[in-house]
Amino acid sequence: MRHFLTLSALTLVLLSGCGGTSDSKVTPVVSEKEVHLIKPEDLKGHLATLMQQYVQVGLSVEGKEYTYLQLLSADEETGIINLKFSEGIVQIALADDEIKEMALILGQFKEPKKWNYVEQSEFETTQILKFRDGISTDLNEDTVAFEANLADSNTSELYTVTLRFNDSITEAGNATLELEGDTVKVAGTLGWKTYVDLENLLADNPNTTRFELVNVSGSVDDSVNMHTGRLIRQHKLETYIANGNQAYSGGVDLFAAGTKRTAETNAILGVHSWCCSVDGKPANKLPENHPEHGAQLTYFREMLGKTKGPEFYFFTINAANPDEIHKMTRAEMEKYSLVSQ
């Protein structure tokens, strides 16, 4: 049965840098038992399924196809999700797990010279197509096709538009990777596609030695994000964040994966509690022996050691609520061995 990622979950991630949420398929943990939201041996199959769903996503405007869409933002209060495509923004309104309205905001992104990742504020509008009427049709158990008539806000000319949409696009994140010399740089919101992109980049560039976090807001798929961290450790990459740059939540998880971890004096590492457990509680409201801590404890033991790993994890979830961020002090980074220097 298809289900769209809830707007509340998206809003936590995109607006406050939240990491991923808990997964209902959690194996109970006691002591140091290894726990994974996605078992390592199941990862490739899981990603293959997401890729199959991802290629189904697309936009058609008067018969012209656009197949690369990217999540920009989600607003819980208005119920609006914005997706970037090559000629602008497609805006949809979700209600009761269905697409109810759609609009196109056409124009041009004012892209930074070195990054494809952009904010919605970096956009110049040339044309707005407003919703007139539409109908939602299930293509399969994962994907919906929303067919709509959109009217030009100035001329009232009608355009026929179809959006094929599923959760894979919201869970993909919008992070971009760039290689400079022996350093891969990441910016944006992490997701399952970050793992795929990084794995491909490292396969093509085996001499890569450093993973630099430029501006990372968090992760929309923590179950895969922890495997992205394992990929960083497997390839023995150093992690680095420069003065003035920032990494929040799931970005800190990846920073912890470095064989050597360097944060400049004015770099920002932000942490908070994840949300939510199967019964709707944030991690900082669960007892320390609760089974849903298991996957994160497993991960941080791998990255920071059997003692420092759990200590750091429980520090992060108690440092701030899910909709808040605690910016770590240098003393805190050193106390939990998050930085090597």
Side-chain angles (χ1 to χ4, degrees):
M1 181 67 68
R2 67 180 173 84
H3 64 283
F4 297 141
L5 189 64
T6 62
L7 284 168
S8 57
L10 279 171
T11 302
L12 281 173
V13 174
L14 294 169
L15 300 185
S16 60
C18 181
T21 59
S22 176
D23 190 292
S24 59
K25 299 178 181 178
V26 175
T27 305
V29 61
V30 292
S31 186
E32 296 182 7
K33 182 177 179 180
E34 186 173 298
V35 179
H36 299 283
L37 300 179
I38 300 171
K39 293 180 180 179
E41 61 268 28
D42 295 335
L43 181 62
K44 288 192 179 298
H46 178 78
L47 292 172
T49 298
L50 288 169
M51 286 297 295
Q52 290 171 0
Q53 295 173 1
Y54 192 66
V55 297
Q56 296 175 23
V57 174
L59 178 71
S60 173
V61 181
E62 290 292 304
K64 183 176 181 180
E65 282 285 332
Y66 302 92
T67 55
Y68 181 75
L69 280 72
Q70 188 179 67
L71 180 68
L72 275 176
S73 65
D75 190 314
E76 182 179 13
E77 185 175 345
T78 62
I80 292 175
I81 292 177
N82 291 302
L83 306 172
K84 174 190 172 184
F85 71 108
S86 60
E87 294 188 15
I89 297 170
V90 55
Q91 190 175 84
I92 60 174
L94 289 183
D96 300 324
D97 219 18
E98 295 286 348
I99 299 175
K100 298 297 184 181
E101 293 189 12
M102 177 166 54
L104 289 185
I105 306 170
L106 305 178
Q108 184 175 8
F109 286 92
K110 299 178 287 184
E111 307 221 0
K113 292 181 180 179
K114 300 176 76 172
W115 296 104
N116 291 323
Y117 168 68
V118 294
E119 299 289 350
Q120 193 170 334
S121 59
E122 300 169 310
F123 183 77
E124 294 179 341
T125 301
T126 58
Q127 186 181 18
I128 297 176
L129 306 183
K130 293 184 176 180
F131 178 77
R132 179 68 62 84
D133 57 66
I135 184 170
S136 180
T137 304
D138 285 343
L139 294 179
N140 53 51
E141 64 177 8
D142 300 310
T143 304
V144 62
F146 188 73
E147 303 173 13
N149 290 316
L150 305 182
D152 186 295
S153 58
N154 291 320
T155 68
S156 297
E157 180 181 357
L158 287 179
Y159 293 78
T160 302
V161 179
T162 301
L163 173 68
R164 300 182 302 279
F165 181 82
N166 59 48
D167 279 347
S168 71
I169 188 169
T170 53
E171 295 168 357
N174 59 21
T176 57
L177 302 176
E178 284 200 2
L179 187 67
E180 289 189 5
D182 62 358
T183 298
V184 56
K185 297 186 176 184
V186 62
T189 301
L190 307 167
W192 64 263
K193 197 169 180 295
T194 310
Y195 180 99
V196 174
D197 291 344
L198 181 60
E199 183 179 46
N200 291 335
L201 185 149
L202 294 175
D204 292 338
N205 302 275
N207 294 324
T208 302
T209 62
R210 189 162 73 165
F211 185 86
E212 179 176 348
L213 298 106
V214 177
N215 179 12
V216 178
S217 60
S219 167
V220 288
D221 190 340
D222 212 36
S223 61
V224 174
N225 193 57
M226 285 185 279
H227 288 295
T228 306
R230 293 184 175 100
L231 187 64
I232 291 170
R233 180 61 62 89
Q234 174 190 339
H235 285 266
K236 300 180 181 179
L237 303 183
E238 300 177 4
T239 51
Y240 172 79
I241 181 166
N243 280 323
N245 289 343
Q246 52 199 3
Y248 296 112
S249 198
V252 178
D253 294 355
L254 296 193
F255 180 80
T259 53
K260 177 182 177 182
R261 301 175 293 278
T262 304
E264 299 290 353
T265 304
N266 294 318
I268 298 172
L269 295 174
V271 297
H272 62 174
S273 174
W274 53 261
C275 188
C276 289
S277 65
V278 172
D279 57 0
K281 294 180 180 179
N284 58 353
K285 301 301 181 182
L286 302 176
E288 288 194 359
N289 64 351
H290 195 282
E292 290 188 64
H293 293 305
Q296 295 275 2
L297 286 172
T298 297
Y299 177 80
F300 284 111
R301 285 190 189 106
E302 292 176 33
M303 302 306 159
L304 300 178
K306 291 185 177 181
T307 300
K308 292 293 186 180
E311 288 177 356
F312 176 68
Y313 168 66
F314 285 116
F315 159 75
T316 66
I317 65 173
N318 290 302
N321 290 321
D323 58 349
E324 301 171 337
I325 282 289
H326 171 74
K327 296 179 180 179
M328 295 183 67
T329 65
R330 192 72 189 186
E332 290 168 340
M333 296 179 197
E334 294 174 355
K335 177 180 180 180
Y336 298 105
S337 300
L338 184 60
V339 290
S340 304
Q341 63 178 47

